[in-house]
Amino acid sequence: MEKLKLDGFSLGSAFIEHGLVLSPMAGATDHAFREVCRAHGASLVVSEMVSAKALCYEQLCKKKKAAEISRTAPLAAVSAEELPMSVQLFGSEPEFMAEAAALLESGEYFGCKSTAKPTAIDINMGCPVAKVVSNGEGSALMRDPKLAGRIIRAVCDRVKLPVTVKMRAGWDKDSINAPELAKIAEQSGAAMICVHGRTRAQFYEPSADWNVIADVKKAVSVPVVGNGDIYSAEDARRMIDISGCDGIAVGRGALGNPWIFEEIIAAERGEEYKRPNIAERLKTAIAQTERMCEEKGEYIAVREARKHVSWYITGIRGAAEARHRVNSVETIEEIKKIAEEISASAEE
Ligand SMILES: Cc1cc2nc3c(=O)[nH]c(=O)nc-3n(C[C@H](O)[C@H](O)[C@H](O)COP(=O)(O)O)c2cc1C
């Protein structure tokens, strides 16, 4: 098998080996999942998106008990074990974005649960959700490249950490401007650019256009990370061939399958790859849920873990029925019981 080429790239003082990134996913890339992905070969993980404004406003409420009001700061928590890791900020006001980035860099802010500084600050210019774009945030910034540039410049001027930008191809098919925006981002100080090859109008369907990633790669000299529809090493190979990207960000393809990073690394080394069996997958799902319980408490953790466990059992015989059961579990013991039954029946 021909080897896949992923040399990695530098991001500030960190080296992002293989350039393999866990793409940020709100409601999914929490600390527990990021740690699992790092353990299975992701070389850079990214937090869920964090509202710059909410992080700044939380600072005004210092007199209340942290547990009562600190909803945003925990999303931005960085642990030493998961580095290299970026915290992603979203917002549309340069001042708030810069202030939030400075808080994250200092690690000295109300509600901070970090034990380390992030490797980089990532700026969200791709979120398509109506609630976000109606505030001029996320992918709405692709319609206002000047403001996008001012935000990147303001953040870069305020922090020493590298600043990266995640964008889409453009707003819609008539305004594909990722190459232009990437140039603005580079001129404004961005150290790396991640491109999801879809427009805002497309949300997550149909398939991503990797040619846009190639156009961005030609437009800038900072590392370009390609994103969209990577579910196997073969997909990664095709994306690299088409776009010449320096790294690959995997989102949905890592849900329930953090081993995708190992699969890509194996292809890079020209080695065979064998997907773990269901018992191993469920062991990882449970370890991840236990970690979530430590951090969020069992009540919240188990509810959030339902979807992760469902992703881990994708493709097994009887998955639909198992998923139905998982969707109503209330305790980690129930998850363990279902996992034991699935593993036992898989061995029969
Ligand atoms: C549930 C979900 C949540 C997401 N949240 C974020 C986010 O917080 N920030 C961001 O930049 N992109 C977010 N994305 C987009 C992904 O990072 C990624 O760009 C997109 O899913 C395409 O990559 P994929 O095909 O590998 O999933 C999210 C995607 C999904 C499916």
Side-chain angles (χ1 to χ4, degrees):
M1 203 197 318
E2 198 200 324
K3 285 191 187 177
L4 189 151
K5 193 168 160 8
L6 274 174
D7 295 335
F9 54 84
S10 295
L11 192 55
S13 57
F15 185 71
I16 310 304
E17 233 182 313
H18 313 290
L20 286 179
V21 182
L22 170 66
S23 212
M25 284 178 285
T29 56
D30 62 0
H31 181 218
F33 187 54
R34 295 196 303 265
E35 270 196 3
V36 170
C37 290
R38 282 284 293 125
H40 291 290
S43 39
L44 173 69
V45 291
V46 188
S47 71
E48 305 174 68
M49 63 182 197
V50 174
S51 162
K53 215 172 197 174
L55 189 66
C56 293
Y57 278 152
E58 269 189 8
Q59 303 307 305
L60 304 172
C61 312
K62 285 181 186 160
K63 289 194 183 123
K64 291 194 191 161
K65 273 193 281 167
E68 269 173 39
I69 59 119
S70 186
R71 297 220 171 88
T72 305
L75 294 175
V78 183
S79 78
E81 304 80 52
E82 64 179 323
L83 297 176
M85 182 262 191
S86 302
V87 177
Q88 188 186 64
L89 289 174
F90 73 99
S92 60
E93 288 154 85
E95 303 74 24
F96 278 113
M97 292 292 276
E99 176 63 19
L103 291 171
L104 295 172
E105 182 172 64
S106 73
E108 287 167 16
Y109 56 94
F110 178 62
C112 177
K113 298 215 164 60
S114 297
T115 57
K117 288 193 179 166
T119 306
I121 304 292
D122 188 48
I123 300 181
N124 181 318
M125 298 201 176
C127 180
V129 173
K131 204 170 65 177
V132 171
V133 295
S134 62
N135 289 330
E137 301 165 332
S139 57
L141 289 169
M142 297 208 70
R143 292 212 281 188
D144 193 344
K146 271 200 188 141
L147 175 59
R150 282 209 292 125
I151 289 173
I152 299 163
R153 169 62 62 205
V155 177
C156 290
D157 284 350
R158 195 70 186 276
V159 296
K160 291 198 182 72
L161 289 173
V163 175
T164 61
V165 177
K166 181 160 175 285
M167 61 179 70
R168 284 185 172 239
W171 178 260
D172 60 20
K173 67 177 178 5
D174 300 319
S175 53
I176 305 284
N177 63 347
E180 292 79 9
L181 188 62
K183 266 193 214 156
I184 292 172
E186 182 177 42
Q187 284 156 8
S188 309
M192 180 271 265
I193 289 158
C194 177
V195 190
H196 174 194
R198 284 190 182 87
T199 62
R200 186 272 170 175
Q202 290 176 315
F203 275 72
Y204 296 98
E205 296 283 340
S207 46
D209 177 5
W210 297 338
N211 292 301
V212 181
I213 303 166
D215 293 341
V216 171
K217 176 68 190 153
K218 282 181 214 133
V220 296
S221 53
V222 292
V224 172
V225 171
N227 171 237
D229 299 346
I230 300 297
Y231 290 92
S232 66
E234 207 35 55
D235 292 338
R237 181 191 309 282
R238 284 191 300 112
M239 179 188 269
I240 294 167
D241 284 350
I242 291 174
S243 71
C245 58
D246 305 287
I248 286 183
V250 185
R252 292 164 297 172
L255 298 173
N257 185 23
W259 299 276
I260 187 164
F261 300 105
E262 285 173 354
E263 180 186 343
I264 296 172
I265 292 169
E268 198 220 358
R269 293 180 177 149
E271 294 168 357
E272 283 290 314
Y273 168 77
K274 196 167 162 280
R275 195 168 183 226
N277 65 22
I278 184 62
E280 268 181 84
R281 273 148 55 197
L282 285 167
K283 210 168 125 194
T284 301
I286 287 166
Q288 187 182 323
T289 308
E290 281 171 341
R291 194 82 169 99
M292 291 167 80
C293 289
E294 281 164 29
E295 284 171 10
K296 311 182 192 202
E298 188 173 10
Y299 184 86
I300 293 176
V302 167
R303 277 156 183 78
E304 290 185 4
R306 289 172 185 166
K307 58 180 184 288
H308 283 281
V309 177
S310 295
W311 288 321
Y312 277 101
I313 60 179
T314 299
I316 64 158
R317 218 175 339 116
E321 201 237 312
R323 208 170 268 145
H324 187 70
R325 287 176 66 197
V326 167
N327 277 338
S328 56
V329 291
E330 307 256 338
T331 65
I332 187 157
E333 285 314 314
E334 287 175 72
I335 295 181
K336 286 180 180 169
K337 189 164 176 289
I338 296 172
E340 262 169 36
E341 286 170 22
I342 293 173
S343 300
S345 71
E347 274 169 20
E348 280 161 13

